[in-house]
Amino acid sequence: MSDSAPTTHLSQIGAVFVPVADQERALAFYLDTLGFEKRVDFTYGDGIRWIEVAPPGAANTIALVPSGEGESSGGDETYCALATTDIEADHATLRASGVAVDEEIAQAGNSRTGLISTEVSVPDPVPRQFFFRDPDGNRFLIVQPD
C-alpha cells in the first residue's frame, strides 16, 4: 500500500443488527437470560425505537431492530458469534433456562451446522462452539477461544 493511497477514518465495528418482532420480549431475554446490559434506548423517526445491548465490558453491541427497519425476525443465518470463558457452564445455563441450544457442544471429533445454511455440516469445528436461538429464532454462535 503506498503512502498516498486514500484510506478511511473508520475506527471500530459498531452494532450488529438483529431483527425482532417484539422489542420488549427481546430486551428481557438479552438482559435477564444472557446477562447483557442495555447501552442505548431511544425513539426516532416516526416512533421507531432503537435499542442496543451488549455483554458487560464489550465494545460492540447488538441492536434489537424492529420490523419497521426491514426484514422479519427468525432467520437461520448466523451473523454474530459471542465469546465465552466457560462454554460448558454457558451451555448448561442456557439449556436450564429453556433456551433453544444445540444438544452438544461442537468440537474436534464431531460437527456442527453451517453459519449461513443449516443444510451444511462443518466437521471438526475448532475451537469448541454451539448455536442458540433467541425468542425470535435468530441464531447465534457461542465460541470459547483457546
Side-chain angles (χ1 to χ4, degrees), residues 87-88 91-92 95 99-107 110-113 129-133:
I87 199 162
E88 296 281 347
H91 188 260
R95 284 189 71 159
V99 175
V101 299
D102 288 349
E103 280 293 315
E104 61 183 39
I105 297 170
Q107 57 193 336
N110 63 15
S111 64
R112 66 160 170 77
T113 57
Q129 52 199 259
F130 70 90
F131 289 104
F132 76 91
R133 290 185 184 272

Side-chain angles (χ1 to χ4, degrees), residues 35-121:
F36 285 19
E37 59 189 19
K38 182 167 52 171
R39 298 274 182 89
V40 175
D41 189 347
F42 63 87
T43 303
Y44 68 96
D46 191 22
I48 298 172
R49 186 174 177 195
W50 186 264
I51 304 170
E52 291 182 28
V53 297
N60 302 77
T61 61
I62 292 177
L64 304 176
V65 181
S67 58
E69 279 283 340
E71 190 174 319
S72 64
S73 59
D76 274 336
E77 302 87 3
T78 301
Y79 296 114
C80 183
L82 305 167
T84 181
T85 58
D86 191 339
I87 199 162
E88 296 281 347
D90 288 342
H91 188 260
T93 297
L94 292 174
R95 284 189 71 159
S97 297
V99 175
V101 299
D102 288 349
E103 280 293 315
E104 61 183 39
I105 297 170
Q107 57 193 336
N110 63 15
S111 64
R112 66 160 170 77
T113 57
L115 294 173
I116 305 303
S117 172
T118 57
E119 302 300 315
V120 174
S121 180

Side-chain angles (χ1 to χ4, degrees), residues 1-9:
M1 181 168 163
S2 75
D3 291 334
S4 62
T7 60
T8 68
H9 299 279

